[in-house]
């Protein structure tokens, strides 16, 4: 299907870095031959090894904790689904946003953001480590799908629009900024992807993905915490606890989810959450069948509330027609942004700030630090064949270190512990 069949998108948006001939295996007129370019993108990410690995990577609780908690994979599936619904309602291509949701965390290393911090501390020589920049690197270089005429891997060779939608931070590393979306070594494909895009501005589809990520994180991770007994939403009814939650929301999430430079919205948001009947029904969650049903109703209602608010806010600003790419921005009502920040602070206070979890995270950082150093010392024999080849072809120590970091970042939590036992010993294993 050509770009003329994709309202709001043109040939520039559907272009791939490497031209691809039509598939021989799909009979003319079949459903497969009639798939859009964006549907092909979604299928490529869905079938990628990098996406499957997210099943073994920490979201908030690790893959082995609790009663089947969410992993990076299940979180990504939920982000894709939430984003797809918002895209449909706004007239953006649902497959583009679905692809971005599936791919948005594909660069996360073992142990989630904790592992990201550990690898970044080791990566100064090669420009740092950032999960979003790693996602772009996987999509455009590391995931085996296509190679160019010079033998360089070109990843999944996604369309320009899908790559752009998956880029949460469309800029290189900058002084004073911890978040960025591309390493210097990948700047060429980044610049190709961003041709014609306003500098530093995210496309609408990326904004939808980012909001879907916030919604999924705030609602579903709180659900996991309540179900496991780590979180009681009754804490929001206690003034001292509510004050501390509001303080943490203002400190950690005000800028992350674009709240105004004030905490005045957060206290009313916390109070409004308590007043919602769906929240009141789980204040004393006891794990019974009725309580589990009520908890599922809560998550469904909150996701619907936050998603529909983004649609109504955007429609009020930009009208009723199809909204795509750089023709609009996602408009989020301040009250729901504040509610999401409060829920994220609840998870931070009662799950991620737990003393035992903090001790576990320290052990995880030591494990990854020791593993990177051991693999670097034993390289290239310690690396998978493709990364060993990259290590041998590197022109400097920084590029060789990047190959080692690519290796460690690709591992699941369990694989990182196993590789540590193999190359270091069991002293710091988790």
């Amino acid at each position: 299907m050509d770009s003329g069949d994709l309202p709001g998108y043109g040939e520039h948006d559907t272009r791939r870095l490497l031209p691809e001939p039509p598939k021989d295996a799909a009979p003319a007129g079949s459903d497969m031959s009639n798939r859009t370019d964006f549907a092909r993108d979604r299928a490529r990410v869905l079938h990628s090894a990098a996406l499957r690995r997210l099943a073994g990577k920490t979201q908030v609780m690790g893959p082995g904790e609790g009663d089947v908690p969410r992993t990076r994979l299940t979180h990504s599936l939920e982000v894709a689904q939430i984003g797809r619904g918002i895209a449909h309602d706004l007239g953006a291509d649902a497959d583009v946003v679905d692809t971005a949701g599936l791919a948005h965390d594909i660069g996360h290393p073992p142990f989630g953001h904790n592992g990201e911090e550990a690898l970044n501390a080791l990566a100064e020589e090669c420009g740092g480590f950032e999960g979003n920049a790693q996602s772009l690197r996987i999509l455009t270089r590391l995931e085996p799908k296509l190679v160019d005429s010079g033998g360089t891997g070109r990843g999944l060779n996604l369309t320009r629009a899908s790559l752009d939608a998956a880029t949460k931070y469309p800029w290189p590393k900058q002084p004073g900024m911890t978040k960025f979306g591309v390493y210097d070594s990948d700047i060429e494909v980044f610049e190709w992807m961003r041709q014609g895009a306003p500098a530093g501005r995210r496309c609408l589809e990326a904004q939808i993905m980012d909001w879907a990520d916030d919604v999924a994180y705030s609602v579903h991770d709180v659900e996991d915490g309540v179900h496991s007994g780590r979180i009681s939403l009754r804490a929001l009814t206690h003034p001292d606890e509510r004050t501390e939650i509001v303080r943490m929301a203002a400190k950690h999430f005000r800028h992350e989810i674009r709240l105004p430079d004030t905490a005045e919205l957060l206290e009313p948001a916390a109070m409004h959450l308590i007043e919602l009947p769906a929240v009141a029904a789980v204040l004393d969650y006891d794990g019974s069948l009725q309580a589990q049903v009520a908890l599922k109703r809560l998550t469904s209602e909150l996701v619907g509330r936050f998603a529909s608010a983004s649609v109504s806010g955007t429609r009020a600003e930009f009208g009723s027609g199809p909204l795509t790419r750089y023709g609009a921005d996602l408009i989020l009502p301040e009250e729901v942004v504040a509610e999401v920040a409060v829920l994220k602070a609840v998870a931070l206070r009662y799950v991620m700030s737990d003393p035992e979890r903090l001790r576990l995270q320290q052990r995880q950082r030591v494990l990854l630090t020791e593993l990177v150093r051991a693999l670097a010392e034993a390289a290239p024999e310690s690396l998978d064949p493709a990364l060993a080849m990259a290590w041998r072809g590197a022109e400097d120590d920084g590029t060789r270190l990047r190959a080692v970091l690519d290796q460690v970042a690709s591992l699941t939590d369990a694989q990182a512990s196993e590789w540590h036992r193999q190359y270091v010993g069991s002293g710091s294993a988790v």
Side-chain angles (χ1 to χ4, degrees):
M1 184 179 294
D2 62 34
S3 60
D5 296 314
L6 301 169
Y9 301 89
E11 189 274 337
H12 176 83
D13 306 308
T14 59
R15 185 175 298 170
R16 303 181 189 277
L17 183 64
L18 294 184
E20 297 181 22
K23 284 189 174 183
D24 295 332
S30 69
D31 288 342
M32 183 169 291
S33 69
N34 290 328
R35 286 188 305 170
T36 67
D37 290 310
F38 298 150
R40 294 179 188 276
D41 287 344
R42 178 183 178 276
R44 291 180 184 192
V45 175
L46 189 63
H47 293 293
S48 67
L51 182 68
R52 293 195 300 274
R53 291 188 188 104
L54 295 183
K57 297 191 181 187
T58 295
Q59 171 61 11
V60 171
M61 294 187 288
E65 295 182 70
D67 180 21
V68 197
R70 286 171 169 88
T71 64
R72 285 280 163 187
L73 176 58
T74 57
H75 167 72
S76 297
L77 293 172
E78 289 165 339
V79 171
Q81 181 63 26
I82 294 168
R84 188 178 188 92
I86 297 172
H88 177 271
D89 288 348
L90 291 177
D93 190 278
D95 281 325
V96 170
V97 177
D98 198 324
T99 299
L102 292 173
H104 83 286
D105 269 352
I106 213 166
H108 263 285
F111 311 126
H113 288 292
N114 188 44
E116 185 180 24
E117 292 175 6
L119 296 188
N120 184 52
L122 297 167
E124 182 177 354
E125 186 178 356
C126 61
F129 183 92
E130 211 286 333
N132 295 279
Q134 192 70 16
S135 293
L136 182 67
R137 185 171 177 83
I138 289 169
L139 294 172
T140 62
R141 183 190 292 261
L142 299 179
E143 183 69 21
K145 172 70 176 179
L146 290 176
V147 296
D148 63 20
S149 58
T152 300
R154 291 301 182 182
L156 297 178
N157 200 36
L158 302 181
T159 63
R160 178 181 276 119
S162 291
L163 273 180
D164 200 21
T167 303
K168 187 181 290 191
Y169 306 109
W171 52 79
K173 188 175 183 179
Q174 300 175 28
M177 296 182 68
T178 59
K179 294 294 187 180
F180 59 97
V182 59
Y183 302 126
D184 289 345
S185 55
D186 300 317
I187 200 70
E188 181 181 0
V189 70
F190 175 82
E191 290 178 345
W192 170 85
M193 175 189 75
R194 294 289 293 173
Q195 284 179 15
R201 180 182 170 191
R202 294 180 298 175
C203 63
L204 175 64
E205 293 84 351
Q207 294 176 53
I208 295 171
M209 173 271 289
D210 191 23
W211 179 239
D213 187 20
D214 281 330
V215 171
Y217 171 34
S218 64
V219 176
H220 294 134
D221 292 345
V222 166
E223 178 192 352
D224 278 350
V226 170
H227 186 64
S228 69
R230 295 170 185 256
I231 292 174
S232 170
L233 289 177
R234 182 162 289 283
L236 288 169
T237 69
H238 299 300
D240 290 345
E241 283 298 298
R242 188 169 62 249
T243 296
E244 180 60 17
I245 291 167
V246 166
R247 184 196 69 79
M248 295 178 76
K251 177 181 179 181
H252 295 281
F253 304 120
R254 184 181 64 209
H255 300 300
E256 181 180 331
I257 55 178
R258 304 169 298 283
L259 275 171
D261 192 20
T262 175
E264 293 178 359
L265 289 168
L266 293 169
E267 175 73 21
M271 293 300 297
H272 186 259
L273 285 171
I274 298 169
E275 295 167 357
L276 293 175
V279 174
V282 300
L283 291 179
D284 297 306
Y285 181 83
D286 60 7
S288 65
L289 178 60
Q290 291 81 359
Q292 292 184 52
V293 170
L295 184 59
K296 279 298 179 184
R297 184 182 302 116
L298 168 65
T299 60
S300 177
E301 291 193 12
L302 288 179
V303 168
R305 172 180 174 81
F306 299 149
S308 63
S310 70
V311 172
S312 59
T314 304
R315 285 297 188 196
E317 180 74 16
F318 292 101
S320 59
L323 303 176
T324 65
R325 301 286 279 145
Y326 294 95
D329 289 305
L330 194 69
I331 306 300
L332 303 172
E334 290 179 349
E335 59 271 18
V336 298
V337 174
E339 289 171 12
V340 165
V342 168
L343 290 173
K344 293 177 79 169
V346 168
L348 176 62
R349 177 156 174 74
Y350 301 111
V351 179
M352 289 173 283
S353 298
D354 177 74
E356 179 54 37
R357 174 161 297 277
L358 295 177
R359 287 190 288 271
L360 172 64
Q361 290 179 333
Q362 173 60 26
R363 296 196 298 271
Q364 291 169 344
R365 289 192 294 273
V366 170
L367 182 151
L368 290 182
T369 299
E370 293 176 346
L371 179 58
V372 168
R373 290 171 176 166
L375 294 183
E377 184 176 343
E381 289 75 18
S382 58
L383 307 179
D384 288 339
L387 292 171
M389 182 179 298
W391 190 96
R392 292 187 182 97
E395 299 178 351
D396 53 46
D397 289 343
T399 309
R400 283 185 280 272
L401 175 59
R402 179 62 68 192
V404 175
L405 293 171
D406 286 340
Q407 178 70 78
V408 174
S410 73
L411 302 176
T412 65
D413 295 5
Q415 286 174 328
S417 295
E418 179 57 35
W419 281 47
H420 182 273
R421 283 190 287 269
Q422 179 180 347
Y423 286 96
V424 179
S426 59
S428 298
V430 294

